[in-house]
Amino acid sequence: METTASDINSKMVVANEKMREIVRRAEIYAPYNRPVLLTGETGTGKEVLARFIHEASKRKGPLVAINVASISESLIESELFGHERGSFTGAVASKKGLLELADNGTVFFDEIAEMTLPFQAKLLRVVDGNGSYRFRRVGGTSEIVSDFRIICASNRPLEDLISEGKFLKDLFYRMQVFRLHLPPLRERQEDIVALTRHYLEKICAEFGKKPLQISLDVWAGLISRPWAGNIRELMTVIARAVALCREDVSELKPEHFDLDTMADEKPGPKEKTGLPELERLLALRGISPASNAGISDKKSQQGKTIEQIRAQKEAFIAALEKNNWNITKTAEALGIACSTLRKDIKTLKIVSPKGCWKRGRPKKSSVSPST
Ligand SMILES: Nc1ncnc2c1ncn2[C@@H]1O[C@H](COP(=O)(O)OP(=O)(O)OP(=O)(O)O)[C@@H](O)[C@H]1O
Ligand SMILES: [Mg+2]
């Protein structure tokens, strides 16, 4: 069946006019084989839109999603380009790379802001064309030709990284022939309503509960919340509320939501320090000590005690330990982007016992004495 903007609601929930325009644009760009750059905060729907573009492009091959942050530096080349048997220790058989597997399809590079400069340089050599890309497998002699469409996503402004010398300008210009920015959920009130209804119905069915209504004061809370984690966060909040709701209840009320963590969630100027934001994240994920959650007085949010900061840090360490210090898994469990988690780790000066985040699976945590 053809995928058009008119039946978009069957795949994506889009009620906000700005978002509808973005989807219409995506549909216009879809058939033209040029790279697309999708930007927007974490959880705004970049991957969902990438999949929509792929489907609407009518490309027969697969969509191969590559989370840049999750591939270790040493494996990049063989993962992307493949390798021939015996090309390095452990290469017992030849293997196709992700770029070769994506022939006639789409390659989705997620979190490209996390790409290291050597990774960027390797990619730049390949993408210097339009659709039909040439490369060799590691240890291979013959050239492989693969025809794929590139879609990239980033939740960090790449322009900033370019000026800091962390992202190659050449690569940036090649990747953003078409560019679409997804607004944060707090600027899409119609979507908050539509997505809440959509996921409420879905989650009620999944949890075996009868359909639930939402009280007015809950709607007011949902609409005015800043939704730092955007749609992913909305889904978590709804799932928690549905789970907390007793069988005889037909309407969700504030007590079903952790509204003490929602009370002060009004959009406002960004805090100077990363800690209030971090605390809110922790509270929303249910791993906060919650000692300060729900305090609507901003002054008291800022005046944190060492104990509170330490508690936040320990909550993060607990999440990391639970996920074997694997950043990707921990970020997934917390419902935040890897890049956000890395920033939080840096802010809180959390050190992995082995000093290695990507591959290490340490046994013990350590808390830096600096807090
Ligand atoms: N328009 C939409 N309709 C319904 N669900 C959506 C929509 N957009 C996003 N979602 C859901 O919200 C969640 C987050 O979406 P997605 O993974 O596409 O976000 P993202 O921008 O790629 O986030 P990140 O930057 O953290 O990778 C997913 O579970 C997705 O299914
Ligand atoms: Mg994504």
Side-chain angles (χ1 to χ4, degrees), residues 324-354:
N324 292 324
W325 293 82
N326 180 311
I327 294 210
T328 311
K329 278 193 200 153
T330 310
E332 237 168 56
L334 295 175
I336 59 177
C338 287
S339 50
T340 312
L341 179 58
R342 281 209 186 84
K343 224 161 45 191
D344 294 336
I345 285 170
K346 210 171 150 196
T347 310
L348 287 171
K349 299 194 178 84
I350 296 173
V351 287
S352 138
K354 283 196 177 169

Side-chain angles (χ1 to χ4, degrees), residues 11-14 19 40-49 67 108 110-111 153-155 182 188 191 195 198-199 229 231-232 235 335-338:
K11 296 186 174 286
M12 294 163 69
V13 178
V14 181
M19 272 304 295
E41 289 178 15
T42 182
T44 45
K46 297 183 290 298
E47 179 156 355
V48 167
L49 192 60
N67 188 314
F108 175 52
D110 203 0
E111 295 198 47
S154 177
N155 51 31
L182 282 91
R188 295 154 52 179
D191 284 356
L195 283 158
H198 173 76
Y199 281 114
I231 302 172
R232 197 174 290 117
M235 291 159 73
I336 59 177
C338 287

Side-chain angles (χ1 to χ4, degrees), residues 184-202:
L185 191 56
R186 61 186 164 278
E187 290 173 16
R188 295 154 52 179
Q189 291 201 341
E190 302 87 343
D191 284 356
I192 297 178
V193 175
L195 283 158
T196 300
R197 293 213 167 102
H198 173 76
Y199 281 114
L200 181 61
E201 196 185 319
K202 251 182 113 171

Side-chain angles (χ1 to χ4, degrees), residues 50-254:
R51 290 184 186 279
F52 170 76
I53 294 171
H54 170 68
E55 278 175 39
S57 75
K58 310 280 191 302
R59 298 183 69 83
K60 301 264 185 292
L63 180 138
V64 175
I66 304 175
N67 188 314
V68 172
S70 69
I71 304 186
S72 79
E73 192 68 43
S74 58
L75 289 177
I76 289 171
E77 248 175 310
S78 94
E79 285 288 316
L80 287 191
F81 309 124
H83 60 251
E84 295 297 349
R85 193 176 138 195
S87 53
F88 53 85
T89 318
V92 287
S94 52
K95 188 185 151 201
K96 284 186 181 181
L98 295 169
L99 301 187
E100 197 174 337
L101 292 170
D103 194 23
N104 291 318
T106 302
V107 172
F108 175 52
F109 287 108
D110 203 0
E111 295 198 47
I112 53 163
E114 303 302 319
M115 244 183 226
T116 60
L117 282 169
F119 191 157
Q120 293 173 36
K122 274 169 201 149
L123 195 59
L124 184 58
R125 282 208 308 273
V126 176
V127 301
D128 199 12
N130 280 319
S132 208
Y133 302 108
R134 290 161 192 280
F135 50 88
R136 286 190 171 84
R137 288 186 188 161
V138 176
T141 47
S142 53
E143 203 162 58
I144 307 236
V145 181
S146 184
D147 183 315
F148 52 86
R149 208 279 173 72
I150 296 176
I151 304 181
C152 295
S154 177
N155 51 31
R156 291 166 64 192
L158 295 173
E159 285 87 347
D160 292 357
L161 297 177
I162 292 171
S163 55
E164 290 167 22
K166 291 180 184 156
F167 204 89
L168 298 177
K169 213 191 234 169
D170 281 1
L171 186 61
F172 173 69
Y173 286 121
R174 277 179 179 76
M175 296 299 196
Q176 60 124 36
V177 178
F178 300 131
R179 189 171 177 164
L180 295 166
H181 179 74
L182 282 91
L185 191 56
R186 61 186 164 278
E187 290 173 16
R188 295 154 52 179
Q189 291 201 341
E190 302 87 343
D191 284 356
I192 297 178
V193 175
L195 283 158
T196 300
R197 293 213 167 102
H198 173 76
Y199 281 114
L200 181 61
E201 196 185 319
K202 251 182 113 171
I203 292 167
C204 282
E206 188 191 330
F207 289 5
K209 305 234 172 173
K210 61 180 186 221
L212 289 164
Q213 301 299 312
I214 291 186
S215 71
L216 273 182
D217 36 2
V218 168
W219 275 123
L222 293 172
I223 283 168
S224 60
R225 189 181 171 104
W227 298 113
N230 293 289
I231 302 172
R232 197 174 290 117
E233 182 187 336
L234 177 74
M235 291 159 73
T236 312
V237 166
I238 296 170
R240 201 182 300 145
V242 174
L244 285 173
C245 184
R246 284 198 331 257
E247 296 298 324
D248 57 336
V249 170
S250 60
E251 187 180 68
L252 288 175
K253 298 226 162 59

